[in-house]
Amino acid sequence: MTDFDYDLFVIGAGSGGVRASRIAASHGARVAVAEEFRIGGTCVIRGCVPKKLLVYGSHFAHGLHDAAQYGWTIDGARFDWATLRDFVARDVDRLEKAYTSTLDSNKVEHFAERAVVAGPNAVRLASGREISAKVILIAVGAWPVMPEIDGAEHCITSNEVFHLPELPTRVVIQGAGYIALEFAGIFNALGSHVTVVNRSDRILRGYDEDLTDRLLPIMQARGIEFGFNRPIRKVEKRADGSLLVHAGGGDPIPADAVMVATGRKPKTDGLGLESAGVALGHNGAIPVNEFGQTSCPSIYAVGDVTDRVQLTPVAIREGHAFADTVFGANLRSVSYDHIPSAVFSQPPLAAVGLTEAQARAVHGQVKVFSSDFRPMQNMFSVVAERGYYKLVVDPLTDVVLGVHMIGPDAPEILQAAAIAVKAGLTKADFDATVALHPSMAEELVLMR
Ligand code: NDP
């Protein structure tokens, strides 16, 4: 028996919070979770999952075109945004139900309202009810940053983009990171005219420059315009309802929708953390130790709110490790080395380990192997785009330090390559592997 209402109270039912709840419950803890929006969090409700479905939906634009080369006659092909949007929304509903039933089947009680911290062992629900818990887990995620733009109220973010009443004819996207480039690809393929404007002259900062140097001209060749060193200053609504985007260093850009994708900030505003003495770090992030514990010993945090690596599988691991550590008597922390990542741009890119620049900074000398090839599936395609794979290798140990890929299905292939990098395999191990022919992935073992 404890004096608390629950052993664990989780604030936020996203990827990290749901995993932590169910694992803690499986260890015998009495668990409750509060969620102010929808169960599933960013990834399921307005992130990875609906975005990927839009990517799939938009791929048909090229697929239909290519099909003709293979002998298919496609008469009267048309695209209807509402059909795709509503299909995606239904799948999100399905997944939300699946997440909810996971909580139910693990006997995790859920409150469909906002909860804030009211002390080291207390939370307060929006309804006013106060609940005590031995441990509190903050898993509230992050929220799109809206830079201070005159006319910001006319802009949308990745929160709203899934619900557009119609497909915009002209879209301006601010930012050149993950979200900006993924949606640039989606809108472009679906037929919108897309202009990407960024504050710097870079895209996808952090990825190997050989990949980004390959991606940019391909996106441009597909018809996406880029404006670099052009932060948006003002978005003006015109009498006809359309928008005019004033971005530094160039003419105003007419648009029907303006999407801002300039990063995501931990959602800690108004969360009552000061009532428990939880220290906050840069950007409102909650600093934690290797087990997810904050400066208040009874309060932990996982996922995007800690602003370490803003990726769903990382949040899930953090939630799981927290639950095993605190309720399963099994001290576990997450390894942040060799986390694979991908950008579902068109074409997509994916990477694991060190970029060439990072490897040079750490190891001095590095060996680089690359393959620049035309994927077979592009042979008869309207898009004569070339793929590019690159291995970064430590010349002293022969260990593969990084794998970087751009081309069709790069994320699917990279996941398998990430196992090899995580395992510390050498270039000789790659070379000793017989190629699987004909495939794009075989390039990974054919670089000499
Ligand atoms: P990113 O950090 O990827 O990119 C932010 C972009 O906005 C950069 O181009 C940056 O410019 C620019 N920027 C940053 N701050 C400002 C500002 N104040 N004013 C103007 N421009 C600015 O953020 P996203 O919003 O695209 O994505 C957020 C996070 O979500 C990602 O970091 C990622 O972790 C996650 N995510 C992951 C996905 C995946 O795994 N496929 C998909 C979508 C999101 P610059 O760098 O040039 O200076």
Side-chain angles (χ1 to χ4, degrees):
M1 286 297 283
T2 90
D3 295 335
F4 299 107
D5 296 326
Y6 295 97
D7 298 316
L8 171 64
F9 196 99
V10 180
I11 306 182
S15 299
V18 168
R19 176 60 68 94
S21 299
R22 105 170 149 74
I23 300 300
S26 75
H27 289 309
R30 295 168 308 131
V31 184
V33 57
E35 170 55 56
E36 63 180 330
F37 187 51
R38 295 178 65 182
I39 287 177
T42 301
C43 176
V44 170
I45 305 295
R46 48 192 170 198
C48 328
V49 171
K51 177 277 309 290
K52 189 78 183 278
L53 291 173
L54 291 184
V55 171
Y56 281 137
S58 69
H59 273 173
F60 287 97
H62 288 300
L64 285 171
H65 214 285
D66 293 352
Q69 304 286 332
Y70 288 93
W72 293 91
T73 302
I74 316 275
D75 286 330
R78 274 189 332 275
F79 172 70
D80 180 50
W81 163 251
T83 303
L84 175 59
R85 180 198 61 203
D86 296 348
F87 163 72
V88 172
R90 280 196 300 280
D91 204 56
V92 168
D93 292 345
R94 179 186 66 79
L95 277 170
E96 184 184 14
K97 285 199 185 88
Y99 270 63
T100 307
S101 80
T102 296
L103 292 177
D104 289 339
S105 58
N106 284 280
K107 301 198 170 26
V108 175
E109 194 165 343
H110 39 104
F111 297 94
E113 56 186 307
R114 181 170 169 80
V116 297
V117 174
N121 297 100
V123 298
R124 189 177 315 107
L125 299 178
S127 56
R129 181 175 164 195
E130 199 152 305
I131 293 175
S132 65
K134 191 172 174 201
V135 174
I136 296 168
L137 178 69
I138 311 293
V140 295
W143 197 249
V145 174
M146 180 63 79
E148 303 219 339
I149 300 170
D150 189 4
E153 68 277 15
H154 305 311
C155 302
I156 59 166
T157 68
S158 54
N159 286 348
E160 294 79 35
V161 72
F162 300 103
H163 309 290
L164 290 175
E166 49 199 45
L167 186 70
T169 309
R170 299 158 302 179
V171 189
V172 172
I173 303 178
Q174 161 104 76
Y178 285 81
I179 295 176
L181 296 195
E182 290 179 346
F183 276 92
I186 291 166
F187 281 124
N188 167 257
L190 295 180
S192 302
H193 182 269
V194 180
T195 308
V196 173
V197 288
N198 195 29
R199 64 174 176 181
S200 76
D201 60 358
R202 295 283 306 277
I203 64 167
L204 294 173
R205 193 184 293 282
Y207 277 93
D208 194 283
E209 286 186 22
D210 282 339
L211 297 195
T212 56
D213 287 351
R214 175 62 52 104
L215 178 63
L216 178 61
I218 293 178
M219 293 186 78
Q220 288 169 321
R222 287 188 177 212
I224 299 169
E225 287 191 43
F226 281 80
F228 291 114
N229 303 308
R230 294 200 70 185
I232 295 181
R233 308 254 183 252
K234 180 175 161 188
V235 177
E236 199 183 323
K237 187 149 197 163
R238 297 197 283 189
D240 64 359
S242 68
L243 302 170
L244 195 60
V245 180
H246 300 268
D251 292 335
I253 310 163
D256 303 293
V258 179
M259 180 175 175
V260 172
T262 53
R264 295 171 57 83
K265 179 183 177 307
K267 207 167 170 238
T268 47
D269 288 349
L271 205 57
L273 294 167
E274 63 291 345
S275 67
V278 175
L280 287 184
H282 174 68
N283 220 9
I286 303 179
V288 291
N289 69 12
E290 60 182 314
F291 302 112
Q293 193 173 34
T294 72
S295 57
C296 172
S298 56
I299 300 186
Y300 290 72
V302 295
D304 288 0
V305 77
T306 65
D307 206 11
R308 288 172 288 183
V309 180
Q310 288 188 348
L311 295 175
T312 300
V314 176
I316 289 172
R317 286 200 166 225
E318 289 170 354
H320 202 129
F322 151 79
D324 281 348
T325 299
V326 177
F327 296 101
N330 176 13
L331 232 55
R332 287 215 305 125
S333 59
V334 173
S335 160
Y336 294 91
D337 292 337
H338 308 117
I339 295 173
S341 66
V343 184
F344 295 95
S345 47
Q346 301 186 27
L349 56 84
V352 64
L354 301 180
T355 64
E356 183 179 343
Q358 289 166 341
R360 286 195 192 286
V362 176
H363 295 266
Q365 294 291 318
V366 293
K367 272 199 207 161
V368 171
F369 299 85
S370 63
S371 174
D372 188 334
F373 60 99
R374 185 162 176 195
M376 197 178 188
Q377 73 185 71
N378 287 355
M379 284 302 171
F380 306 108
S381 168
V382 277
V383 289
E385 296 160 357
R386 297 182 68 80
Y388 182 81
Y389 294 177
K390 173 172 175 177
L391 300 183
V392 179
V393 177
D394 182 343
L396 296 179
T397 60
D398 198 38
V399 166
V400 177
L401 302 171
V403 178
H404 307 274
M405 311 170 65
I406 177 168
D409 297 328
E412 303 291 341
I413 300 165
L414 190 279
Q415 176 69 82
I419 300 170
V421 177
K422 182 75 183 170
L425 298 190
T426 61
K427 176 68 167 56
D429 293 318
F430 278 61
D431 294 347
T433 307
V434 174
L436 192 159
H437 184 75
S439 69
M440 290 174 286
E442 67 181 319
E443 299 297 329
L444 280 175
V445 298
L446 296 175
M447 293 182 221
R448 297 290 186 270

